[in-house]
Short mmCIF file of all heavy atoms in Angstrom, two decimals:
data_model
loop_
_atom_site.label_atom_id
_atom_site.label_comp_id
_atom_site.label_asym_id
_atom_site.label_seq_id
_atom_site.Cartn_x
_atom_site.Cartn_y
_atom_site.Cartn_z
N HIS S 229 6.60 19.10 27.48
CA HIS S 229 7.04 19.46 28.88
C HIS S 229 7.81 20.75 28.94
O HIS S 229 8.69 20.91 29.78
CB HIS S 229 7.91 18.29 29.47
CG HIS S 229 7.25 16.98 29.36
ND1 HIS S 229 6.22 16.56 30.23
CD2 HIS S 229 7.44 15.90 28.60
CE1 HIS S 229 5.80 15.36 29.95
NE2 HIS S 229 6.52 14.91 28.93
N TYR S 230 7.62 21.64 27.96
CA TYR S 230 8.34 22.93 27.90
C TYR S 230 9.82 22.67 27.88
O TYR S 230 10.62 23.43 28.56
CB TYR S 230 7.95 23.82 29.09
CG TYR S 230 6.47 24.28 29.04
CD1 TYR S 230 5.50 23.55 29.65
CD2 TYR S 230 6.14 25.44 28.28
CE1 TYR S 230 4.15 23.96 29.61
CE2 TYR S 230 4.79 25.87 28.27
CZ TYR S 230 3.84 25.13 28.93
OH TYR S 230 2.48 25.53 28.81
N ARG S 231 10.29 21.70 27.15
CA ARG S 231 11.66 21.36 27.15
C ARG S 231 12.52 22.45 26.44
O ARG S 231 12.16 22.88 25.39
CB ARG S 231 11.84 20.01 26.45
CG ARG S 231 13.34 19.61 26.24
CD ARG S 231 13.47 18.17 25.78
NE ARG S 231 13.08 17.25 26.87
CZ ARG S 231 13.01 15.94 26.73
NH1 ARG S 231 13.36 15.37 25.63
NH2 ARG S 231 12.66 15.17 27.75
N ASN S 232 13.59 22.78 27.12
CA ASN S 232 14.57 23.68 26.52
C ASN S 232 15.92 23.27 27.05
O ASN S 232 16.32 23.70 28.17
CB ASN S 232 14.25 25.13 26.83
CG ASN S 232 15.12 26.15 26.14
OD1 ASN S 232 16.28 26.04 26.09
ND2 ASN S 232 14.42 27.17 25.56
N ILE S 233 16.70 22.50 26.30
CA ILE S 233 17.94 21.97 26.73
C ILE S 233 18.96 23.07 27.06
O ILE S 233 19.64 23.07 28.09
CB ILE S 233 18.55 20.98 25.68
CG1 ILE S 233 17.56 19.78 25.44
CG2 ILE S 233 19.89 20.45 26.13
CD1 ILE S 233 17.40 18.93 26.65
N ALA S 234 18.96 24.05 26.14
CA ALA S 234 19.94 25.18 26.37
C ALA S 234 19.72 25.92 27.65
O ALA S 234 20.68 26.08 28.45
CB ALA S 234 19.89 26.13 25.21
N LEU S 235 18.51 26.31 27.92
CA LEU S 235 18.22 27.04 29.18
C LEU S 235 18.35 26.13 30.38
O LEU S 235 18.70 26.59 31.46
CB LEU S 235 16.80 27.63 29.18
CG LEU S 235 16.66 28.89 28.25
CD1 LEU S 235 15.22 29.43 28.34
CD2 LEU S 235 17.64 29.97 28.70
N TYR S 236 18.05 24.86 30.28
CA TYR S 236 18.18 23.93 31.31
C TYR S 236 19.66 23.88 31.83
O TYR S 236 19.93 23.92 32.96
CB TYR S 236 17.68 22.56 30.96
CG TYR S 236 17.48 21.58 32.07
CD1 TYR S 236 16.24 21.45 32.69
CD2 TYR S 236 18.49 20.77 32.54
CE1 TYR S 236 16.07 20.57 33.74
CE2 TYR S 236 18.35 19.86 33.62
CZ TYR S 236 17.06 19.78 34.17
OH TYR S 236 16.90 18.91 35.19
N VAL S 237 20.50 23.74 30.82
CA VAL S 237 21.99 23.66 31.12
C VAL S 237 22.45 25.01 31.71
O VAL S 237 23.09 25.02 32.72
CB VAL S 237 22.77 23.30 29.86
CG1 VAL S 237 24.27 23.40 30.13
CG2 VAL S 237 22.38 21.86 29.41
N LEU S 238 22.02 26.05 31.07
CA LEU S 238 22.55 27.38 31.47
C LEU S 238 22.00 27.89 32.78
O LEU S 238 22.69 28.48 33.61
CB LEU S 238 22.27 28.40 30.37
CG LEU S 238 23.07 28.29 29.09
CD1 LEU S 238 22.47 29.23 27.97
CD2 LEU S 238 24.53 28.64 29.35
N TYR S 239 20.74 27.58 33.04
CA TYR S 239 20.09 28.03 34.23
C TYR S 239 20.16 27.12 35.41
O TYR S 239 20.39 27.49 36.57
CB TYR S 239 18.59 28.40 33.98
CG TYR S 239 17.82 28.82 35.13
CD1 TYR S 239 18.11 30.09 35.71
CD2 TYR S 239 16.84 28.06 35.74
CE1 TYR S 239 17.36 30.55 36.84
CE2 TYR S 239 16.10 28.47 36.84
CZ TYR S 239 16.37 29.72 37.39
OH TYR S 239 15.67 30.15 38.52
N GLN S 240 20.00 25.81 35.13
CA GLN S 240 19.92 24.80 36.20
C GLN S 240 21.27 24.20 36.61
O GLN S 240 21.55 23.93 37.77
CB GLN S 240 18.99 23.68 35.88
CG GLN S 240 17.53 24.09 35.60
CD GLN S 240 16.71 24.28 36.90
OE1 GLN S 240 17.18 25.11 37.75
NE2 GLN S 240 15.56 23.66 36.98
N LEU S 241 22.15 24.05 35.61
CA LEU S 241 23.43 23.31 35.87
C LEU S 241 24.66 24.10 35.98
O LEU S 241 25.45 23.96 36.90
CB LEU S 241 23.56 22.23 34.77
CG LEU S 241 22.48 21.20 34.60
CD1 LEU S 241 22.81 20.18 33.52
CD2 LEU S 241 22.23 20.47 35.90
N VAL S 242 24.85 25.06 35.01
CA VAL S 242 26.06 25.81 34.97
C VAL S 242 26.30 26.60 36.24
O VAL S 242 27.42 26.56 36.76
CB VAL S 242 26.16 26.74 33.69
CG1 VAL S 242 27.38 27.62 33.73
CG2 VAL S 242 26.21 25.83 32.45
N PRO S 243 25.34 27.40 36.70
CA PRO S 243 25.60 28.11 37.96
C PRO S 243 26.00 27.17 39.12
O PRO S 243 26.86 27.53 39.99
CB PRO S 243 24.28 28.81 38.26
CG PRO S 243 23.64 28.95 36.99
CD PRO S 243 24.00 27.67 36.20
N LEU S 244 25.41 26.03 39.22
CA LEU S 244 25.63 25.02 40.20
C LEU S 244 27.14 24.58 40.11
O LEU S 244 27.85 24.46 41.17
CB LEU S 244 24.77 23.84 40.18
CG LEU S 244 24.89 22.79 41.28
CD1 LEU S 244 24.69 23.37 42.68
CD2 LEU S 244 23.89 21.63 41.00
N ILE S 245 27.58 24.32 38.90
CA ILE S 245 28.96 23.92 38.69
C ILE S 245 29.91 24.98 39.12
O ILE S 245 30.96 24.69 39.80
CB ILE S 245 29.16 23.55 37.25
CG1 ILE S 245 28.39 22.30 36.81
CG2 ILE S 245 30.65 23.35 36.87
CD1 ILE S 245 28.37 22.01 35.33
N PHE S 246 29.60 26.23 38.78
CA PHE S 246 30.48 27.36 39.20
C PHE S 246 30.54 27.51 40.72
O PHE S 246 31.58 27.70 41.25
CB PHE S 246 29.92 28.65 38.59
CG PHE S 246 30.15 28.80 37.11
CD1 PHE S 246 29.41 29.70 36.40
CD2 PHE S 246 31.01 27.95 36.40
CE1 PHE S 246 29.60 29.87 35.00
CE2 PHE S 246 31.17 28.04 35.01
CZ PHE S 246 30.47 29.00 34.32
N LEU S 247 29.35 27.34 41.37
CA LEU S 247 29.31 27.44 42.76
C LEU S 247 30.11 26.34 43.50
O LEU S 247 30.83 26.57 44.49
CB LEU S 247 27.87 27.50 43.25
CG LEU S 247 27.06 28.75 42.92
CD1 LEU S 247 25.61 28.53 43.31
CD2 LEU S 247 27.61 29.99 43.55
N VAL S 248 29.97 25.14 43.06
CA VAL S 248 30.65 23.97 43.63
C VAL S 248 32.18 24.21 43.48
O VAL S 248 32.94 24.03 44.44
CB VAL S 248 30.24 22.66 43.07
CG1 VAL S 248 31.14 21.52 43.43
CG2 VAL S 248 28.78 22.34 43.43
N ALA S 249 32.60 24.63 42.26
CA ALA S 249 34.01 24.89 42.04
C ALA S 249 34.52 26.00 42.97
O ALA S 249 35.65 25.92 43.48
CB ALA S 249 34.21 25.23 40.57
N PHE S 250 33.70 27.03 43.17
CA PHE S 250 34.10 28.10 44.08
C PHE S 250 34.39 27.57 45.49
O PHE S 250 35.40 27.89 46.10
CB PHE S 250 33.04 29.19 44.08
CG PHE S 250 33.14 30.17 45.26
CD1 PHE S 250 34.06 31.19 45.21
CD2 PHE S 250 32.36 30.02 46.43
CE1 PHE S 250 34.23 32.13 46.27
CE2 PHE S 250 32.51 30.89 47.45
CZ PHE S 250 33.41 31.96 47.30
N PHE S 251 33.45 26.82 46.04
CA PHE S 251 33.61 26.27 47.39
C PHE S 251 34.73 25.34 47.43
O PHE S 251 35.49 25.39 48.50
CB PHE S 251 32.31 25.59 47.86
CG PHE S 251 31.22 26.54 48.13
CD1 PHE S 251 30.07 26.65 47.35
CD2 PHE S 251 31.29 27.39 49.25
CE1 PHE S 251 29.02 27.53 47.69
CE2 PHE S 251 30.33 28.31 49.59
CZ PHE S 251 29.20 28.41 48.82
N VAL S 252 35.01 24.53 46.44
CA VAL S 252 36.16 23.62 46.48
C VAL S 252 37.48 24.41 46.48
O VAL S 252 38.41 24.14 47.30
CB VAL S 252 36.11 22.61 45.33
CG1 VAL S 252 37.40 21.81 45.21
CG2 VAL S 252 34.91 21.67 45.44
N LEU S 253 37.61 25.36 45.56
CA LEU S 253 38.82 26.13 45.50
C LEU S 253 39.11 26.94 46.81
O LEU S 253 40.20 27.00 47.23
CB LEU S 253 38.78 27.09 44.31
CG LEU S 253 38.92 26.47 42.94
CD1 LEU S 253 38.73 27.47 41.84
CD2 LEU S 253 40.27 25.79 42.69
N GLU S 254 38.03 27.49 47.34
CA GLU S 254 38.22 28.32 48.54
C GLU S 254 38.57 27.42 49.76
O GLU S 254 39.39 27.76 50.66
CB GLU S 254 36.98 29.11 48.87
CG GLU S 254 36.68 30.22 47.83
CD GLU S 254 37.64 31.39 47.99
OE1 GLU S 254 38.85 31.17 48.41
OE2 GLU S 254 37.24 32.56 47.68
N SER S 255 37.99 26.20 49.77
CA SER S 255 38.26 25.29 50.87
C SER S 255 39.75 24.84 50.78
O SER S 255 40.41 24.79 51.86
CB SER S 255 37.37 24.04 50.74
OG SER S 255 36.04 24.37 50.91
N VAL S 256 40.25 24.56 49.62
CA VAL S 256 41.65 24.21 49.47
C VAL S 256 42.57 25.33 49.90
O VAL S 256 43.59 25.18 50.59
CB VAL S 256 41.96 23.75 48.00
CG1 VAL S 256 43.43 23.57 47.78
CG2 VAL S 256 41.21 22.49 47.65
N LEU S 257 42.20 26.50 49.47
CA LEU S 257 42.97 27.75 49.84
C LEU S 257 43.04 27.93 51.32
O LEU S 257 44.21 28.16 51.93
CB LEU S 257 42.35 28.99 49.14
CG LEU S 257 42.98 30.33 49.51
CD1 LEU S 257 44.42 30.39 48.89
CD2 LEU S 257 42.16 31.47 49.03
N VAL S 258 41.97 27.77 52.03
CA VAL S 258 41.90 28.04 53.48
C VAL S 258 42.61 26.89 54.23
O VAL S 258 43.45 27.18 55.11
CB VAL S 258 40.45 28.15 53.94
CG1 VAL S 258 40.39 28.12 55.47
CG2 VAL S 258 39.83 29.41 53.38
N LEU S 259 42.38 25.65 53.89
CA LEU S 259 42.95 24.54 54.65
C LEU S 259 44.37 24.21 54.27
O LEU S 259 45.15 23.90 55.16
CB LEU S 259 42.02 23.27 54.44
CG LEU S 259 40.58 23.43 54.88
CD1 LEU S 259 39.76 22.23 54.50
CD2 LEU S 259 40.52 23.66 56.37
N ARG S 260 44.72 24.36 53.00
CA ARG S 260 46.03 23.94 52.54
C ARG S 260 47.02 25.10 52.48
O ARG S 260 48.20 24.87 52.81
CB ARG S 260 45.94 23.30 51.17
CG ARG S 260 45.14 22.02 51.14
CD ARG S 260 45.84 20.86 51.90
NE ARG S 260 47.08 20.52 51.30
CZ ARG S 260 47.24 19.67 50.25
NH1 ARG S 260 46.15 19.06 49.76
NH2 ARG S 260 48.37 19.32 49.84
N VAL S 261 46.59 26.27 52.10
CA VAL S 261 47.44 27.42 51.98
C VAL S 261 47.54 28.26 53.25
O VAL S 261 48.64 28.48 53.79
CB VAL S 261 47.05 28.30 50.82
CG1 VAL S 261 47.97 29.54 50.68
CG2 VAL S 261 47.07 27.53 49.47
N LEU S 262 46.33 28.59 53.79
CA LEU S 262 46.35 29.44 54.98
C LEU S 262 46.48 28.52 56.22
O LEU S 262 46.92 29.02 57.25
CB LEU S 262 45.06 30.23 55.08
CG LEU S 262 44.83 31.34 54.03
CD1 LEU S 262 43.55 32.02 54.28
CD2 LEU S 262 45.99 32.29 54.03
#
């Protein structure tokens, strides 16, 4: 199945984790700080 665990994690999962963390941190900043 063209399996590649390393690229799967790096391409499919890690950017998504970074993006979710960005939106959470910015939401807290806007709602709680500002």
Side-chain angles (χ1 to χ4, degrees):
H229 308 284
Y230 294 91
R231 174 169 292 178
N232 189 313
I233 300 296
L235 284 182
Y236 193 93
V237 172
L238 289 170
Y239 178 69
Q240 300 279 53
L241 300 183
V242 172
L244 181 61
I245 293 171
F246 289 164
L247 291 173
V248 170
F250 166 79
F251 285 112
V252 170
L253 288 174
E254 292 288 29
S255 298
V256 172
L257 177 68
V258 170
L259 298 174
R260 298 291 297 274
V261 178
L262 295 180

